[in-house]
Amino acid sequence: VLPRLQHVNCAVVLSAVKVIMKMLNVVGSEDLSKAWCKKMAPPLVTLLGAEPEVQYVALRNISLVIQKRPGILTNEAKVFFCKYNDPLYVKMEKL
């Protein structure tokens, strides 16, 4: 599943994130779960560079991921700053 995080299609990336999140509940090793969380952060940040519709879907999914694993995007706070040309629905979701 981890190679699917680097796929071009955003739906494939989000599905891979969903599978990994389900597996994190089952896996017992803390080191393995930390490694998987580190591998999940860059693809999620990359999705925020796409068109606004994809950004919105990615932000909604990131919100769900952060509710389960709050520390996953601690080093990536800069991507959540609002830009002047972001649509209103993306700005509201970033806030």
Side-chain angles (χ1 to χ4, degrees):
V1 175
L2 290 176
R4 299 292 178 239
L5 290 174
Q6 298 171 351
H7 202 274
V8 175
N9 191 338
C10 61
V12 173
V13 173
L14 290 175
S15 296
V17 168
K18 181 179 176 183
V19 170
I20 292 171
M21 289 300 292
K22 296 249 184 208
M23 291 303 295
L24 284 174
N25 294 335
V26 177
V27 86
S29 172
E30 187 66 30
D31 294 335
L32 186 61
S33 64
K34 284 182 182 179
W36 285 357
C37 287
K38 280 185 181 178
K39 289 187 179 189
M40 271 196 316
L44 290 172
V45 170
T46 303
L47 289 176
L48 295 178
E51 52 270 357
E53 293 81 10
V54 175
Q55 281 184 15
Y56 179 75
V57 173
L59 285 166
R60 297 291 293 191
N61 283 289
I62 288 171
S63 174
L64 294 172
V65 168
I66 288 177
Q67 287 176 8
K68 294 267 185 173
R69 302 276 175 176
I72 198 167
L73 293 173
T74 53
N75 299 331
E76 307 291 341
K78 188 175 180 180
V79 295
F80 296 104
F81 293 155
C82 293
K83 297 180 181 86
Y84 72 95
N85 59 350
D86 281 341
L88 182 62
Y89 58 93
V90 172
K91 286 181 183 176
M92 294 303 292
E93 196 59 39
K94 282 184 176 182
L95 294 176

